[in-house]
Amino acid sequence: MATHVSPAPAPPVAAPGWSGQQHYPPPPPPPVRGGRRRGPIGLWILAGVAAIASIAALVLSVIAVVGKPSDVRPAPTTSAAPTSTAPIVFDDAADRPLCEALPDLMREANSRSNAFIATPVDSPERKAAIPRFKAESEAWATRMQQVIAAHSEPSRYLTRTLQRYVDDVLLYSQNVYPERPYDKFDDATWNLAIVDYGGALGRCQQLGVHW
């Protein structure tokens, strides 16, 4: 009995460019989960853009606040121009009553001064006379000051020169002491008092008042 042999299978048909190896379709790409992942550079770029946007918003808000006009405006201030009055030199109506109140006080000052300077400088007599001279000069200056205050308006040549004379007498009497030797600078104060005394004396003599 003859044996039946099945024919061998035919080889696959070769495609163009086939090298004898069987081709298979490429596998599908993996599914994307949660969006595409960004690298470090991309994250830094996003952070920088966000920061710039925040700064720009802040600047715009500040400009809006500053540029907004205020509802409350300060009231304009007005300052009055200072008025100046020229110093008065002579005022017969005011000077005459003051001169008439001076003779007794000025004669008292003359007598005290003449008695004091009649004693030799640095002598026992001068040192003994200093305490009384100081006390009497201060009491006299107090009474003189009351007279000047009663006739002080307006300020004028007579009131100013008379005030200087009173101050000079006080300055001299306050700077001499029995225990302190003679100081040549005291002479300058004494002489200044005489000069200021002459201002009041001359003005009152112009008005017919003498002492």
Side-chain angles (χ1 to χ4, degrees):
M1 181 175 177
T3 304
H4 176 73
V5 179
S6 299
V13 178
W18 183 67
S19 60
Q21 299 294 330
Q22 189 172 1
H23 283 223
Y24 298 94
V32 178
R33 300 179 182 273
R36 186 175 182 181
R37 187 175 182 181
R38 296 178 175 86
I41 296 178
L43 293 178
W44 280 110
I45 293 175
L46 290 177
V49 172
I52 293 174
S54 300
I55 294 174
L58 179 60
V59 170
L60 291 176
S61 63
V62 171
I63 293 175
V65 172
V66 174
K68 183 179 180 181
S70 176
D71 295 334
V72 180
R73 296 180 180 274
T77 59
T78 58
S79 57
T83 57
S84 59
T85 304
I88 296 176
V89 180
F90 301 128
D91 187 329
D92 292 355
D95 287 350
R96 192 178 303 277
L98 176 54
C99 288
E100 291 174 349
L102 293 178
D104 290 342
L105 289 168
M106 300 301 274
R107 293 189 188 105
E108 177 186 337
N110 290 340
S111 298
R112 182 176 56 256
S113 299
N114 291 335
F116 184 74
I117 64 174
T119 58
V121 176
D122 277 342
S123 65
E125 294 81 7
R126 171 68 65 87
K127 293 181 181 298
I130 288 178
R132 180 179 178 180
F133 176 79
K134 290 168 69 74
E136 290 181 350
S137 295
E138 184 175 349
W140 171 86
T142 300
R143 286 179 280 130
M144 280 289 295
Q145 199 67 60
Q146 294 172 353
V147 172
I148 296 174
H151 302 84
S152 60
E153 296 297 336
S155 175
R156 54 204 187 275
Y157 169 78
L158 179 57
T159 58
R160 292 190 293 269
T161 188
L162 189 60
Q163 183 65 64
R164 288 197 303 269
Y165 170 61
V166 174
D167 292 343
D168 294 339
V169 171
L170 273 178
L171 181 61
Y172 178 86
S173 65
Q174 293 295 312
N175 286 338
V176 293
Y177 299 91
E179 64 277 6
R180 197 177 74 178
Y182 162 77
D183 188 342
K184 64 179 182 179
F185 292 105
D186 292 337
D187 285 347
T189 306
W190 183 277
N191 294 333
L192 183 60
I194 294 175
V195 172
D196 291 331
Y197 172 91
L201 177 65
R203 174 56 182 156
C204 290
Q205 287 180 347
Q206 288 177 350
L207 298 175
V209 179
H210 303 271
W211 53 78

Coordinates of all heavy atoms in Angstrom, one line a residue, residues 3-55:
T3 N 2.3 5.0 0.5 CA 2.2 6.0 1.6 C 1.9 7.4 1.0 O 2.6 7.8 0.0 CB 3.4 6.1 2.4 OG1 3.7 4.7 2.9 CG2 3.3 7.1 3.5
H4 N 0.9 8.1 1.6 CA 0.6 9.5 1.1 C 1.3 10.5 1.9 O 1.2 10.6 3.1 CB -0.9 9.7 1.2 CG -1.3 11.1 0.8 ND1 -1.3 11.5 -0.6 CD2 -1.8 12.2 1.5 CE1 -1.7 12.7 -0.7 NE2 -2.0 13.2 0.6
V5 N 2.1 11.3 1.2 CA 2.9 12.4 1.9 C 2.3 13.7 1.5 O 2.0 14.0 0.4 CB 4.4 12.4 1.4 CG1 5.1 13.5 2.1 CG2 5.0 11.0 1.7
S6 N 1.9 14.5 2.7 CA 1.3 15.9 2.5 C 2.4 16.8 2.0 O 3.5 16.8 2.4 CB 0.7 16.4 3.8 OG -0.3 15.5 4.3
P7 N 2.0 17.7 1.1 CA 3.0 18.7 0.6 C 3.4 19.7 1.7 O 2.6 20.0 2.6 CB 2.2 19.4 -0.5 CG 0.8 19.1 -0.2 CD 0.7 17.8 0.5
A8 N 4.6 20.2 1.7 CA 5.1 21.2 2.7 C 4.4 22.5 2.5 O 4.1 22.9 1.3 CB 6.6 21.3 2.5
P9 N 4.2 23.3 3.6 CA 3.5 24.6 3.5 C 4.4 25.6 2.7 O 5.6 25.5 2.8 CB 3.3 25.0 4.9 CG 4.3 24.3 5.7 CD 4.5 22.9 5.0
A10 N 3.7 26.4 1.9 CA 4.5 27.4 1.1 C 5.0 28.5 2.1 O 4.4 28.9 3.0 CB 3.6 28.0 0.1
P11 N 6.2 29.0 1.8 CA 6.8 30.1 2.6 C 5.9 31.4 2.5 O 5.3 31.6 1.5 CB 8.2 30.3 2.1 CG 8.1 29.8 0.7 CD 7.1 28.7 0.7
P12 N 6.0 32.3 3.5 CA 5.2 33.6 3.4 C 5.7 34.4 2.3 O 6.8 34.4 1.9 CB 5.4 34.3 4.8 CG 6.7 33.7 5.3 CD 6.7 32.3 4.8
V13 N 4.7 35.2 1.8 CA 5.0 36.0 0.6 C 5.9 37.2 1.1 O 5.6 37.8 2.1 CB 3.7 36.6 0.0 CG1 4.1 37.5 -1.2 CG2 2.9 35.4 -0.5
A14 N 6.9 37.4 0.5 CA 7.9 38.5 0.9 C 7.3 39.9 0.5 O 6.9 40.1 -0.6 CB 9.2 38.3 0.3
A15 N 7.3 40.8 1.5 CA 6.9 42.2 1.2 C 8.1 42.9 0.7 O 9.3 42.5 0.8 CB 6.4 42.8 2.5
P16 N 7.9 44.1 0.1 CA 9.0 44.9 -0.4 C 10.0 45.2 0.7 O 9.7 45.6 1.8 CB 8.4 46.1 -1.0 CG 7.0 45.7 -1.3 CD 6.6 44.7 -0.3
G17 N 11.3 44.9 0.4 CA 12.3 45.2 1.3 C 12.4 44.1 2.4 O 13.1 44.3 3.4
W18 N 11.8 43.0 2.2 CA 11.8 42.0 3.3 C 13.1 41.3 3.3 O 13.7 41.0 2.3 CB 10.7 41.0 2.9 CG 10.5 39.9 3.9 CD1 10.1 40.0 5.2 CD2 10.8 38.5 3.7 NE1 10.1 38.8 5.8 CE2 10.5 37.8 4.9 CE3 11.3 37.7 2.6 CZ2 10.7 36.4 5.1 CZ3 11.4 36.4 2.8 CH2 11.1 35.7 4.0
S19 N 13.7 41.1 4.5 CA 15.0 40.5 4.6 C 14.9 39.1 5.1 O 15.9 38.6 5.5 CB 15.8 41.4 5.7 OG 15.1 41.4 6.9
G20 N 13.8 38.6 5.1 CA 13.7 37.2 5.5 C 13.1 37.1 6.9 O 12.8 36.0 7.4
Q21 N 13.1 38.3 7.7 CA 12.6 38.3 9.1 C 11.1 38.8 9.0 O 10.7 39.6 8.2 CB 13.4 39.3 9.9 CG 14.8 38.9 10.1 CD 15.0 37.6 10.8 OE1 14.2 37.3 11.7 NE2 16.1 36.8 10.5
Q22 N 10.3 38.2 9.9 CA 8.9 38.5 9.9 C 8.7 39.8 10.6 O 9.3 40.1 11.6 CB 8.1 37.4 10.6 CG 6.6 37.6 10.4 CD 5.9 36.3 10.9 OE1 6.5 35.4 11.4 NE2 4.6 36.3 10.8
H23 N 7.9 40.7 10.0 CA 7.6 42.1 10.6 C 6.3 42.0 11.5 O 5.4 41.4 11.1 CB 7.4 43.1 9.5 CG 8.7 43.5 8.8 ND1 8.9 44.8 8.5 CD2 9.8 42.8 8.4 CE1 10.1 44.9 8.0 NE2 10.6 43.7 7.9
Y24 N 6.4 42.7 12.6 CA 5.3 42.8 13.5 C 4.9 44.3 13.7 O 5.8 45.2 13.7 CB 5.5 42.2 14.8 CG 5.9 40.7 14.7 CD1 7.2 40.2 14.6 CD2 4.8 39.8 14.7 CE1 7.4 38.9 14.5 CE2 5.1 38.4 14.6 CZ 6.4 38.0 14.5 OH 6.7 36.6 14.4
P25 N 3.7 44.6 13.9 CA 3.3 46.1 14.1 C 3.9 46.6 15.4 O 4.0 45.9 16.4 CB 1.8 46.0 14.1 CG 1.4 44.6 14.5 CD 2.5 43.7 13.9
P26 N 4.3 47.9 15.4 CA 4.9 48.4 16.7 C 3.9 48.5 17.8 O 2.7 48.6 17.5 CB 5.3 49.8 16.3 CG 4.4 50.2 15.1 CD 4.1 48.9 14.4
P27 N 4.3 48.3 19.0 CA 3.4 48.4 20.2 C 2.8 49.8 20.3 O 3.4 50.8 20.0 CB 4.3 48.0 21.4 CG 5.6 48.4 21.0 CD 5.7 48.2 19.5
P28 N 1.6 49.9 20.8 CA 0.9 51.2 21.0 C 1.6 52.0 22.1 O 2.2 51.4 23.0 CB -0.5 50.8 21.4 CG -0.4 49.5 22.0 CD 0.7 48.8 21.3
P29 N 1.7 53.3 22.0 CA 2.3 54.2 23.1 C 1.6 54.0 24.4 O 0.4 53.8 24.4 CB 2.3 55.6 22.5 CG 1.1 55.6 21.6 CD 1.0 54.2 21.0
P30 N 2.3 54.2 25.6 CA 1.6 54.1 26.9 C 0.7 55.3 27.1 O 0.9 56.4 26.6 CB 2.8 54.2 27.9 CG 3.9 54.9 27.1 CD 3.7 54.5 25.7
P31 N -0.4 55.0 27.8 CA -1.4 56.1 28.0 C -0.8 57.2 28.9 O 0.1 56.9 29.8 CB -2.5 55.4 28.7 CG -1.9 54.2 29.4 CD -0.8 53.8 28.5
V32 N -1.1 58.5 28.6 CA -0.7 59.7 29.4 C -1.5 59.8 30.6 O -2.7 59.9 30.6 CB -0.7 61.0 28.6 CG1 -0.3 62.2 29.4 CG2 0.1 60.8 27.3
R33 N -0.9 59.9 31.8 CA -1.6 60.0 33.1 C -1.3 61.3 33.8 O -0.1 61.7 34.0 CB -1.2 58.8 34.1 CG -1.4 57.5 33.5 CD -1.0 56.4 34.5 NE -1.2 55.0 33.9 CZ -2.3 54.4 34.0 NH1 -3.3 54.9 34.7 NH2 -2.4 53.2 33.5
G34 N -2.3 62.1 34.1 CA -2.2 63.4 34.8 C -1.5 64.5 34.0 O -0.9 65.4 34.5
G35 N -1.6 64.5 32.7 CA -0.9 65.6 31.9 C 0.5 65.3 31.7 O 1.2 64.4 32.4
R36 N 1.1 66.1 30.9 CA 2.5 65.9 30.6 C 3.4 66.5 31.7 O 3.2 67.6 32.2 CB 2.9 66.6 29.3 CG 4.3 66.4 28.8 CD 4.5 67.0 27.5 NE 5.8 66.8 27.0 CZ 6.3 67.2 25.8 NH1 5.5 68.0 25.1 NH2 7.5 66.9 25.4
R37 N 4.4 65.7 32.2 CA 5.3 66.2 33.3 C 6.3 67.2 32.8 O 6.9 67.0 31.7 CB 6.0 64.9 33.8 CG 6.8 65.2 35.1 CD 7.3 63.9 35.6 NE 8.0 64.2 36.9 CZ 8.7 63.2 37.6 NH1 8.6 62.0 37.1 NH2 9.3 63.5 38.7
R38 N 6.4 68.3 33.5 CA 7.4 69.3 33.2 C 8.7 69.2 33.9 O 8.7 68.7 35.0 CB 6.8 70.7 33.5 CG 5.5 71.1 32.7 CD 5.0 72.4 33.1 NE 3.9 72.8 32.3 CZ 2.6 72.5 32.6 NH1 2.4 71.7 33.6 NH2 1.6 72.8 31.8
G39 N 9.7 69.6 33.2 CA 11.0 69.6 33.8 C 11.3 70.7 34.8 O 10.5 71.7 34.9
P40 N 12.5 70.8 35.5 CA 12.8 71.9 36.4 C 12.8 73.3 35.7 O 12.4 74.3 36.4 CB 14.2 71.5 36.9 CG 14.3 70.1 36.7 CD 13.5 69.8 35.4
I41 N 13.2 73.4 34.5 CA 13.3 74.7 33.9 C 11.9 75.2 33.7 O 11.7 76.4 33.9 CB 14.1 74.6 32.5 CG1 15.5 74.1 32.8 CG2 14.0 75.9 31.8 CD1 16.3 74.0 31.5
G42 N 11.0 74.4 33.3 CA 9.6 74.9 33.1 C 9.0 75.4 34.4 O 8.3 76.4 34.4
L43 N 9.3 74.7 35.5 CA 8.7 75.1 36.8 C 9.3 76.5 37.1 O 8.6 77.4 37.7 CB 9.1 74.1 37.8 CG 8.4 72.7 37.7 CD1 8.8 71.8 38.8 CD2 6.9 72.9 37.7
W44 N 10.6 76.7 37.0 CA 11.2 78.0 37.3 C 10.6 79.1 36.4 O 10.3 80.3 36.9 CB 12.7 78.0 37.1 CG 13.4 77.4 38.2 CD1 14.1 76.2 38.2 CD2 13.6 77.9 39.5 NE1 14.6 75.9 39.4 CE2 14.3 77.0 40.3 CE3 13.2 79.1 40.1 CZ2 14.7 77.2 41.6 CZ3 13.5 79.3 41.4 CH2 14.2 78.3 42.2
I45 N 10.3 78.8 35.2 CA 9.7 79.9 34.3 C 8.3 80.2 34.8 O 7.9 81.4 34.8 CB 9.7 79.3 32.8 CG1 11.1 79.2 32.3 CG2 8.8 80.3 31.9 CD1 11.2 78.6 30.9
L46 N 7.5 79.2 35.1 CA 6.2 79.5 35.6 C 6.2 80.3 36.9 O 5.4 81.2 37.1 CB 5.4 78.2 35.9 CG 5.0 77.4 34.6 CD1 4.4 76.1 35.0 CD2 4.1 78.2 33.7
A47 N 7.1 80.0 37.8 CA 7.2 80.7 39.1 C 7.6 82.2 38.8 O 7.1 83.1 39.5 CB 8.3 80.1 40.0
G48 N 8.5 82.4 37.9 CA 9.0 83.8 37.6 C 7.8 84.6 37.0 O 7.6 85.7 37.3
V49 N 7.0 84.0 36.1 CA 5.9 84.7 35.5 C 4.9 85.0 36.6 O 4.3 86.2 36.6 CB 5.3 83.8 34.4 CG1 4.0 84.4 33.9 CG2 6.2 83.6 33.2
A50 N 4.6 84.1 37.5 CA 3.7 84.4 38.6 C 4.1 85.6 39.5 O 3.4 86.4 39.9 CB 3.4 83.1 39.4
A51 N 5.5 85.6 39.8 CA 6.0 86.7 40.6 C 5.9 88.0 39.9 O 5.5 89.0 40.5 CB 7.5 86.4 41.0
I52 N 6.2 88.0 38.6 CA 6.1 89.3 37.9 C 4.7 89.8 37.8 O 4.4 91.0 38.0 CB 6.7 89.1 36.5 CG1 8.2 88.8 36.5 CG2 6.4 90.3 35.6 CD1 8.8 88.5 35.2
A53 N 3.8 88.9 37.7 CA 2.4 89.3 37.6 C 1.9 89.9 39.0 O 1.2 90.8 39.0 CB 1.5 88.1 37.2
S54 N 2.4 89.3 40.1 CA 2.0 89.8 41.4 C 2.6 91.2 41.6 O 1.9 92.0 42.2 CB 2.5 88.8 42.5 OG 2.0 87.5 42.3
I55 N 3.8 91.4 41.3 CA 4.5 92.7 41.4 C 3.7 93.7 40.6 O 3.5 94.9 41.1 CB 5.9 92.6 41.1 CG1 6.7 91.7 42.1 CG2 6.6 94.0 41.1 CD1 8.2 91.5 41.7

